[in-house]
Amino acid sequence: MVSAGLEILGLSLCVVGSLLVMVACGLPMWKVTAFIEANIVVAQTIWDGLWMSCVVQSTGQMQCKVHDSVLALSHDLQAARALTIISSVMGVLGLMVVIAGAQCTNCIRNEYVKARVVNAGGVIYIISGFFVLVPLCWMANNIISDFYNPQVPGAKKREIGAALYIGWAATALLLIGGSVLCCSCPSGGNAGYSVKYAPTKRATPNGDYDKRNYV
């Protein structure tokens, strides 16, 4: 029961983490306008995402434009696109693997194999977490470097958007949940043990038991 509870806990964390990765991938708020120095125009805010750029007016109106060319994007955006998609696909794959090996399902009969399948699902989720962590840290590093670079105009400086914080939260959930899935399953348990019974005592023809049974 404890192992099954840990499996449910780890799977829940990983599913939530995968959903947050998908949300962060679709949100346009990876980079937001930085209001510094002479850049005090607060009538509009610019959002830069993986798939589109949006301009939000102070009146609440928002206009978005999808990126026309992938090759025209910066290297960090291109890498973020690819790695977040791979992470999302691995999240779905990990879900199917863990469900197949979970103790509450009968897809696999052998308990030892089921434990290994759940462990494999946990490893998939951990790899998925690292795949989404790389573009997040890469883009955050570029944003901070450009922010403190005096050669970059103030109008082009950006700050870290909400999508990056959501991605970091998703990474933490994936790593924690994957670790729980790797540690919660038994390593074979009682599957490798065989029960040995003592030989039955046999009576001699005269009705007495053989003395060898007592040696």
Side-chain angles (χ1 to χ4, degrees):
M1 293 298 294
V2 176
S3 180
L6 290 177
E7 286 183 1
I8 295 175
L9 175 61
L11 183 59
S12 300
L13 293 175
C14 291
V15 169
V16 174
S18 297
L19 293 177
L20 290 179
V21 170
M22 298 177 186
V23 171
C25 180
L27 285 178
M29 294 177 289
W30 284 65
K31 301 178 183 180
V32 297
T33 306
F35 299 104
I36 56 176
E37 298 177 356
N39 187 19
I40 58 175
V41 181
V42 295
Q44 63 181 18
T45 303
I46 301 175
W47 296 344
D48 294 327
L50 302 181
W51 311 99
M52 65 184 70
S53 296
C54 299
V55 178
V56 182
Q57 306 292 338
S58 58
T59 57
Q61 297 179 350
M62 182 173 62
Q63 296 179 347
C64 296
K65 180 183 179 182
V66 180
H67 297 310
D68 297 329
S69 175
V70 177
L71 299 178
L73 298 175
S74 59
H75 295 294
D76 55 352
L77 285 177
Q78 294 180 15
R81 274 189 174 189
L83 293 177
T84 51
I85 292 176
I86 294 174
S87 177
S88 301
V89 173
M90 292 187 66
V92 177
L93 177 62
L95 175 62
M96 294 187 295
V97 171
V98 173
I99 291 178
Q103 296 185 7
C104 57
T105 60
N106 296 323
C107 299
I108 301 175
R109 298 294 182 180
N110 192 317
E111 293 294 331
Y112 179 81
V113 176
K114 291 178 69 173
R116 293 308 182 194
V117 170
V118 174
N119 289 337
V123 172
I124 292 175
Y125 275 120
I126 292 176
I127 297 175
S128 174
F130 282 114
F131 273 1
V132 73
L133 180 63
V134 170
L136 293 172
C137 295
W138 186 1
M139 187 167 296
N141 178 70
N142 290 342
I143 293 173
I144 296 173
S145 299
D146 292 341
F147 187 87
Y148 290 107
N149 188 356
Q151 298 180 355
V152 178
K156 293 185 178 181
K157 292 185 178 181
R158 297 290 184 265
E159 291 183 354
I160 297 175
L164 269 70
Y165 295 105
I166 295 175
W168 281 322
T171 300
L173 291 177
L174 289 173
L175 295 179
I176 295 174
S179 301
V180 171
L181 290 175
C182 290
C183 300
S184 64
C185 302
S187 59
N190 299 329
Y193 293 98
S194 59
V195 180
K196 296 182 179 180
Y197 297 95
T200 306
K201 298 178 181 180
R202 297 181 181 181
T204 58
N206 57 4
D208 297 333
Y209 288 99
D210 193 349
K211 295 182 178 179
R212 289 177 297 177
N213 297 328
Y214 300 94
V215 177

